[in-house]
Amino acid sequence: MKTLSVRYFAILREQRGVAEETIQTDVGNAEALYHELQEQYPFTLPVDRLRAAVNGEFQPWPAALEDGDEVVF
């Protein structure tokens, strides 16, 4: 289980109702994380309309996530 810091911007922040949160997950990459979050929250944007930054740098969706990473959508 990984603990991740997740930050949201723009419409995702509005749809989630918070700017950031800490979550625990078993997902392996940012794309899987976004899909997991979509199951929990009313996110309407498809993954192909988003970018993810991991630890301050934009990464391809399949880039691996590690415990303690910060993911920004």
Side-chain angles (χ1 to χ4, degrees):
M1 182 83 48
K2 299 174 195 70
T3 301
L4 304 173
S5 173
V6 180
R7 295 177 61 198
Y8 306 104
F9 285 92
I11 193 169
L12 295 181
R13 179 174 37 200
E14 291 174 23
Q15 291 175 337
R16 174 65 183 96
V18 298
E20 59 187 83
E21 64 183 327
T22 300
I23 64 165
Q24 292 193 324
T25 184
D26 287 321
V27 300
N29 60 50
E31 182 174 12
L33 175 61
Y34 183 70
H35 289 300
E36 181 177 89
L37 293 168
Q38 271 188 309
E39 292 177 8
Q40 298 176 40
Y41 309 121
F43 295 152
T44 57
L45 290 176
V47 74
D48 64 350
R49 300 273 320 266
L50 296 172
R51 291 193 67 197
V54 179
N55 299 324
E57 295 187 27
F58 286 111
Q59 298 290 330
W61 286 108
L65 295 176
E66 302 294 332
D67 186 47
D69 282 351
E70 177 189 62
V71 182
V72 179
F73 292 108

